[in-house]
Amino acid sequence: MLKFILIFLNIFINIKNFFHFGDKMIYAFGHKNPDTDSIISAIAVSKLKEGVIPARIGDINPETRFVLDSFKLPDPKIIVNSAENKYWLVDHNSEEQTIDGLDEDQILGIIDHHKFSRSVTKALNIHTEPLGCNCTILAKMLFAESINVDKNLAGAMLGAIMSDTVIFRSSTTTDEDKEVAGKLAEIAGIEDIEKFGFEVKRMACNLKSFNPEYEVEKDFKKFETGGINYGVGQIETVCLEDVQEAKSMVMEVLENKMEKENLHFIILMVTDIMKKGTELWVTGAPDFVEEAFGKLENDALWVDGMMSRKKQVIPQIDRVIENAVNV
Amino acid sequence: MLKFILIFLNIFINIKNFFHFGDKMIYAFGHKNPDTDSIISAIAVSKLKEGVIPARIGDINPETRFVLDSFKLPDPKIIVNSAENKYWLVDHNSEEQTIDGLDEDQILGIIDHHKFSRSVTKALNIHTEPLGCNCTILAKMLFAESINVDKNLAGAMLGAIMSDTVIFRSSTTTDEDKEVAGKLAEIAGIEDIEKFGFEVKRMACNLKSFNPEYEVEKDFKKFETGGINYGVGQIETVCLEDVQEAKSMVMEVLENKMEKENLHFIILMVTDIMKKGTELWVTGAPDFVEEAFGKLENDALWVDGMMSRKKQVIPQIDRVIENAVNV
């Protein structure tokens, strides 16, 4: 029996050495609740930097599943923190968005398109650009270093760009995103970029994976005016009809959030990118919202042309509140 | 008379338009009290990015004068802040090191080899790498984009690398600095890199420009142990004999600083990179220093092989203080 155990142990040690288990590995990974940009960015870094293994710190959503399957790319490995490993951080840099317990010494570099919000104690490899998508930066880096971007990687990176820029309709979209998307589409042999983008975004409509808490929190901001505290979140979609099916679940999340965070009311903007308008879903005092935008029906109101929280919601709501408070 | 004024006014307007006075200009500049790396980095960015004018926010020191003159490069333009302009920040990023009154919206990008220590409110162009010299990063970027680096720019960038890495002897020197220096030397036709580095560093020995306050502050850190507050600064030089001539001025600065900042004592490490050792200049309680390193003569003591404050000074001093406090 002991002999068998020793043989198995020996085989195990050999396998372990063969695969470098226990050695320091280098992984690239994107943020928590990874989106398509985070997953495809991790794969792109593995082409850019030698010895880097694409990874992720969360589940693959249906949109990303569609992109990975369409372009025959294997799923990045799911990882948990290990002090032994080194990491490239992509599509995120803040401590809240990264793997738990990450030490600065484990960071080999950061490639990101978000605001730099990490406090560091020494010089690091940091590359950030204010572009609509992290894959745009990575494509530029791959092109600059003349690294071959094959048809499948190009298609997947294009998918990430179309997703992150919401088919070029997000306000963060830049000319560089469009230019790089054009180059990638050419490599991937995709003729109608918009049509492809719509296919990708439609996958996010799969309500099986729709997580109301996550969708509400994803882009939620709090405001205060005249002593009134309120919150405004925003979901961008290409499939308002599908999202409608989840409305009762979302409203419950909003009610709980309003109570827990002592807010007077919450407006969730469900913005339809294709129809270019927003349905407002409202909990709490509807009077302010009705005075600003019109009568609610079932706690909801469609406003044609409304896309921007900053320009088309907050100033209007603040004005109504200020008038009410002054009277 | 009016006619003359009108003619002159017209000429002035034409000149103004010709030189784009009043238009938004794009400048690249390094840190306050610019060193050779800051000045040459600003010139390198003007090759890398179209329409960028090399600039500086301080006087040119003798070392940099030697490099600019040797390679026939014009002095970058001295600038003061103007809300009209946009800037590339090189070789620095912190708010203390930059031009006064700089607004985040004026920053087009940051290329730096220091710790990122600026708080930002949105995504920015940031490119930092933990290398010994900022010109190493810029040379890599120029090479990656296949931009022609001519003989003179290559020589000047090599000068910056030799200066910032203290002829490859600074602890921040990386293999990449050496590799890039080799490439630049080849372009510039410089065969003996070390000899050239020594020529560059010798220029910093010109005491005409030696500013004792600046030299003391440049790399000064405060420490506390057993209730004793003290400071340790470091100057790295290749010309200890020349620096000796400034000793009385430096000691006066140290005395004033000690009093003003309520320090028990100050040690200034005057490290000779070529001789690989340090002369300690001491104000305040010499007993701690003498017990740690040996007898002072004229407030000074040469310690062979001492190069590192962190490893060869602080632990030894702390031990002596702790023993004294415990007894």
Side-chain angles (χ1 to χ4, degrees), chain B residues 58-256:
Chain B
D59 293 336
I60 291 170
N61 70 33
E63 181 195 284
T64 310
R65 167 65 42 231
F66 169 75
V67 171
L68 287 170
D69 291 353
S70 299
F71 299 105
K72 298 174 189 64
L73 293 171
D75 292 5
K77 180 183 158 79
I78 193 150
I79 52 166
V80 288
N81 192 25
S82 153
E84 295 299 311
N85 299 322
K86 299 273 183 185
Y87 302 111
W88 279 88
L89 273 50
V90 290
D91 195 30
H92 76 293
N93 69 75
S94 78
E95 278 155 47
E96 303 86 61
Q97 283 291 310
T98 203
I99 199 165
D100 292 333
L102 180 69
D103 190 87
E104 190 178 315
D105 286 331
Q106 295 178 270
I107 302 174
L108 285 181
I110 294 168
I111 301 170
D112 192 12
H113 68 131
H114 297 96
K115 181 181 93 169
F116 193 77
S117 59
R118 161 177 288 276
S119 79
V120 295
T121 64
K122 58 181 185 185
L124 278 183
N125 272 300
I126 306 170
H127 185 133
T128 68
E129 291 188 47
L131 301 179
C133 178
N134 204 55
C135 273
T136 304
I137 303 174
L138 283 164
K140 280 169 52 184
M141 292 170 89
L142 288 163
F143 293 150
E145 298 203 18
S146 305
I147 294 168
N148 178 44
V149 177
D150 66 27
K151 209 172 155 161
N152 282 331
L153 181 61
M157 291 179 92
L158 179 64
I161 295 176
M162 299 322 282
S163 166
D164 245 39
T165 64
V166 199
I167 318 168
F168 299 148
R169 281 156 179 80
S170 157
S171 62
T172 58
T173 312
T174 67
D175 287 343
E176 274 195 277
D177 291 298
K178 292 179 187 170
E179 195 187 309
V180 167
K183 280 187 197 171
L184 292 169
E186 206 171 299
I187 298 169
I190 292 168
E191 278 179 26
D192 191 334
I193 295 182
E194 291 253 328
K195 189 176 151 231
F196 169 69
F198 192 69
E199 278 170 29
V200 169
K201 289 301 286 182
R202 277 292 304 177
M203 293 300 142
C205 301
N206 183 338
L207 279 187
K208 272 183 212 147
S209 74
F210 188 91
N211 177 338
E213 279 86 8
Y214 173 67
E215 294 294 333
V216 167
E217 290 299 336
K218 206 166 64 174
D219 187 15
F220 192 87
K221 284 182 182 155
K222 287 183 211 174
F223 302 89
E224 190 274 328
T225 194
I228 304 280
N229 291 296
Y230 66 100
V232 184
Q234 188 168 23
I235 297 176
E236 290 181 324
T237 180
V238 293
C239 42
L240 187 54
E241 295 75 14
D242 301 275
V243 174
Q244 290 285 6
E245 288 175 35
K247 191 178 163 203
S248 64
M249 292 195 298
V250 172
M251 293 305 283
E252 209 180 303
V253 171
L254 295 180
E255 291 282 354
N256 290 338

Side-chain angles (χ1 to χ4, degrees), chain A residues 54-70:
Chain A
R56 60 189 164 94
I57 60 172
D59 293 336
I60 290 170
N61 70 32
E63 180 194 287
T64 311
R65 165 66 41 232
F66 169 74
V67 171
L68 288 170
D69 290 354
S70 299

Side-chain angles (χ1 to χ4, degrees), chain A residues 25-137:
Chain A
M25 309 293 263
I26 304 173
Y27 293 108
F29 65 86
H31 54 73
K32 286 179 180 169
N33 291 315
D35 58 8
T36 302
D37 193 21
S38 272
I39 297 287
I40 308 301
S41 285
I43 296 173
V45 174
S46 75
K47 307 284 171 191
L48 188 71
K49 307 279 174 187
E50 225 171 300
V52 172
I53 301 162
R56 60 189 164 94
I57 60 172
D59 293 336
I60 290 170
N61 70 32
E63 180 194 287
T64 311
R65 165 66 41 232
F66 169 74
V67 171
L68 288 170
D69 290 354
S70 299
F71 299 105
K72 298 174 189 64
L73 293 171
D75 293 4
K77 182 184 154 80
I78 194 150
I79 52 166
V80 289
N81 191 25
S82 154
E84 295 299 310
N85 299 322
K86 299 274 183 183
Y87 301 111
W88 279 88
L89 273 50
V90 290
D91 194 31
H92 77 294
N93 68 75
S94 78
E95 278 156 48
E96 303 85 60
Q97 284 290 311
T98 203
I99 199 165
D100 292 333
L102 181 70
D103 190 88
E104 188 178 315
D105 287 331
Q106 294 178 269
I107 302 174
L108 284 181
I110 294 168
I111 301 169
D112 193 12
H113 69 131
H114 297 95
K115 181 181 93 168
F116 193 77
S117 59
R118 162 177 287 277
S119 81
V120 295
T121 64
K122 58 180 185 188
L124 278 183
N125 273 298
I126 305 171
H127 185 132
T128 68
E129 291 187 46
L131 301 179
C133 178
N134 204 54
C135 273
T136 304
I137 304 173

Side-chain angles (χ1 to χ4, degrees), chain B residues 308-323:
Chain B
S308 161
R309 169 168 52 194
K310 201 171 148 191
K311 289 182 194 157
Q312 293 169 289
V313 177
I314 307 308
Q316 289 78 343
I317 289 287
D318 280 353
R319 207 174 307 128
V320 170
I321 294 176
E322 276 157 23
N323 285 340

